[in-house]
Amino acid sequence: MTIEAFDGDTQAPIKGAHVLLHPYRALTDERGVAKVKVAKGRYTLFVSGFNYIGHEQIIDVTSDVTARAELAVEPEEDVDIR
């Protein structure tokens, strides 16, 4: 299975994003790609990256599958320091 993680706004690949298809885990490379060997079946795919809102998707793996996760940047907090 191949997972591609991209910034939803800029379409830039996200390096070092965490990929989870329990119990399988991986990190994306500099191209935003992670390859994970998984058994056939249904998985909940979670992809998260630093400063990004996590992505969740149900995946049915019956053969070699590619999933694309477009992550949104976390909004900046308005911190009011007085």
Side-chain angles (χ1 to χ4, degrees):
M1 164 152 214
T2 303
I3 298 94
E4 303 171 335
F6 287 87
D7 183 297
D9 291 330
T10 67
Q11 295 301 302
I14 301 172
K15 178 182 177 182
H18 295 266
V19 174
L20 173 66
L21 295 114
H22 188 71
Y24 308 101
R25 298 173 181 263
L27 291 174
T28 58
D29 62 16
E30 63 281 343
R31 297 173 298 127
V33 175
K35 293 199 179 273
V36 183
K37 261 191 151 170
V38 300
K40 290 181 181 180
R42 175 170 274 197
Y43 298 90
T44 302
L45 168 66
F46 296 99
V47 181
S48 61
F50 184 69
N51 288 335
Y52 286 95
I53 297 170
H55 171 87
E56 182 178 339
Q57 171 181 353
I58 302 292
I59 302 284
D60 286 313
V61 178
T62 57
S63 61
D64 193 20
V65 176
T66 298
R68 182 178 173 98
E70 294 192 9
L71 280 66
V73 176
E74 285 183 347
E76 291 184 25
E77 287 188 37
D78 235 356
V79 179
D80 189 9
I81 300 173
R82 294 179 194 243

